[in-house]
Amino acid sequence: MSGRGVHLDPEQRRDWLRLIRAEHVGPRAFRSLINRFGGAAAALDALPALARRGGGLLPPRVPSIAEAEAEMAALARMGGRFIALGEPEYPALLRTIDDAPPLLALRGRAEVLAQPTVAIVGARNASGAGRMITARMARGLGLAGWAVASGLARGIDAAAHEASLATGTIAVIAGGHDRPYPRENEPLMARIAEEGAILTEMPMGWEPRARDFPRRNRLVSGLSLGVVVVEAAERSGSLITARLAAEQGREVLAVPGSPLDPRAGGTNALIRQGAALVTGAEDVLEALATLRDRPPALDMEEDTPGMEAAEPSDDMRSRILSLLGPSPLAVDDLVALSGARVSEVQILLLELELAGRLERHRDGSVSLLL
């Protein structure tokens, strides 16, 4: 799946939705399935056998056609639609991350997603000064032609969205479009749906849980050339966004603060670790000037759709499985230690994942769920 030049008809879009909503199918497994079987319909047919070979006692739960069509209709009633990885409206930078969502549920103006984008994130219990700096920075970036992305949380996120409504703002949410969080930002969410763009990969009706926020944060950073952290304590979700940004090859920028304010502990630490020190839009624009017109890196090379890969033999399966355990192991190391071909390892890992027996970690390593 190259992620480029995709054009889905209504049935294909529905099948993509059924596949990504299937039990144990995440973005990486989705991509492997599309590459191996050439399309979502064929991949859906193959799921039970793949899970069985991976040791699954039951086939993965797959939404019915009616359930998928009901989700699409519910989103449409809210003025939204699904855009697929590789379609022209899909954010170009986001498609370059290795776990880019196959489908994004979009409400609002898709043209905002085409603007060069910078993320501004920070503390929920933001100070008055932090909110003022955020608003001034977001307005300046907007006037320079940049969209501002954030996570629609209270505090710094809300200030960034408010100040960039007129010039382009992108809110990435951790739940379904019909489950606004926090409730106090519901009026702001409605305004963004009219003037900006709201994105999520989560299903309609999904109430965000604690573990969904880091998942959302990877999209906030993945959309953006750089992430500005305005205020953050030493243990905060904003630092997770900064770490994800660095892993994705994005610029990390931070606003310094008083060492007496615990909300500045995380931002000051980022600066000590090498983040660019910024105090306004001009600093951000200078730091990102060389990146704005650089084309995004192409997404990972993939197998030719529909190409049949050789199944590992029973002996090879046993050898690969014997090397896996609860401790994470890099896939490259698994290939080297087993002597298997990369395609054989990937097939077995896919089968284990669909059986619910494999965990994929953010660094690309894998472990068995015992």
Side-chain angles (χ1 to χ4, degrees):
M1 190 173 90
S2 68
R4 298 181 292 278
V6 170
H7 299 284
L8 301 183
D9 62 32
E11 285 190 6
Q12 290 173 321
R13 198 174 304 273
R14 180 201 67 202
D15 288 342
W16 272 44
L17 183 60
R18 293 181 66 209
L19 184 58
I20 193 55
R21 297 285 189 253
E23 188 180 18
H24 306 314
V25 176
R28 293 184 181 91
F30 182 99
R31 181 162 53 189
S32 295
L33 287 163
I34 293 292
N35 288 336
R36 186 169 181 202
F37 297 100
L44 287 165
D45 290 341
L47 285 182
L50 291 169
R52 189 165 54 249
R53 284 205 294 271
L57 299 178
L58 296 171
R61 165 81 170 82
V62 178
S64 67
I65 289 174
E67 288 170 325
E69 290 178 344
E71 182 179 350
M72 297 172 78
L75 179 59
R77 284 194 295 272
M78 296 188 70
R81 57 196 171 87
F82 287 102
I83 53 176
L85 180 66
E87 291 187 321
E89 292 174 329
Y90 196 97
L93 270 178
L94 184 60
R95 71 169 171 81
T96 67
I97 70 173
D98 65 357
D99 55 353
L103 288 173
L104 288 170
L106 164 70
R107 291 170 63 209
R109 299 169 51 235
E111 56 266 31
V112 176
L113 305 178
Q115 294 177 232
T117 302
V118 62
I120 302 179
V121 299
R124 289 174 169 81
N125 63 332
S127 68
R131 292 170 193 253
M132 289 180 62
I133 290 169
T134 297
R136 188 166 63 240
M137 185 180 295
R139 279 194 293 270
L141 290 166
L143 291 172
W146 289 70
V148 173
S150 199
L152 200 63
R154 61 177 65 93
I156 296 300
D157 288 23
H161 289 309
E162 290 270 9
S164 56
L165 268 171
T167 52
T169 197
I170 304 168
V172 186
I173 59 176
H177 277 286
D178 55 346
R179 294 293 186 269
Y181 181 88
R183 287 287 180 178
E184 67 196 65
N185 282 346
E186 196 167 352
L188 175 58
M189 188 177 183
R191 293 172 63 197
I192 297 172
E194 291 291 329
E195 303 178 53
I198 305 175
L199 297 174
T200 185
E201 63 181 325
M202 305 307 285
M204 295 290 284
W206 188 269
E207 292 281 359
R209 305 159 301 176
R211 64 184 178 187
D212 296 323
F213 292 97
R215 183 173 176 173
R216 172 207 63 187
N217 293 350
R218 88 186 195 286
L219 304 185
V220 174
S221 56
L223 283 164
S224 310
L225 282 165
V227 172
V228 182
V229 185
V230 178
E231 288 182 337
E234 292 189 358
R235 294 178 181 273
S236 75
S238 298
L239 297 189
I240 295 175
T241 310
R243 176 177 57 79
L244 294 170
E247 291 174 0
Q248 293 166 344
R250 310 312 194 230
E251 291 293 311
V252 179
L253 312 98
V255 176
S258 168
L260 300 177
D261 189 343
R263 289 170 293 201
T267 49
N268 290 342
L270 286 174
I271 293 167
R272 289 195 302 272
Q273 294 161 13
L277 186 157
V278 294
T279 59
E282 297 80 6
D283 296 336
V284 177
L285 293 170
E286 181 179 352
L288 300 181
T290 59
L291 302 177
R292 175 170 179 171
D293 298 319
R294 183 190 302 172
L298 296 180
D299 38 0
M300 298 167 59
E301 287 298 316
E302 300 291 348
D303 297 335
T304 303
M307 184 175 69
E308 287 297 324
E311 293 281 349
S313 66
D314 290 343
D315 286 346
M316 184 56 73
R317 283 176 181 274
S318 298
R319 189 182 310 170
I320 297 169
L321 276 170
S322 70
L323 295 168
L324 290 168
S327 299
L329 180 66
V331 174
D332 287 347
D333 293 338
L334 184 58
V335 172
L337 290 168
S338 66
R341 293 192 294 271
V342 173
S343 60
E344 292 177 315
V345 170
Q346 293 291 2
I347 287 170
L348 183 55
L349 293 180
L350 177 61
E351 292 169 354
L352 291 170
E353 187 171 6
L354 295 175
R357 298 179 59 202
L358 187 81
E359 182 175 2
R360 292 187 184 270
H361 303 273
R362 283 222 56 85
D363 62 1
S365 61
V366 295
S367 61
L368 273 185
L369 295 169
L370 302 178

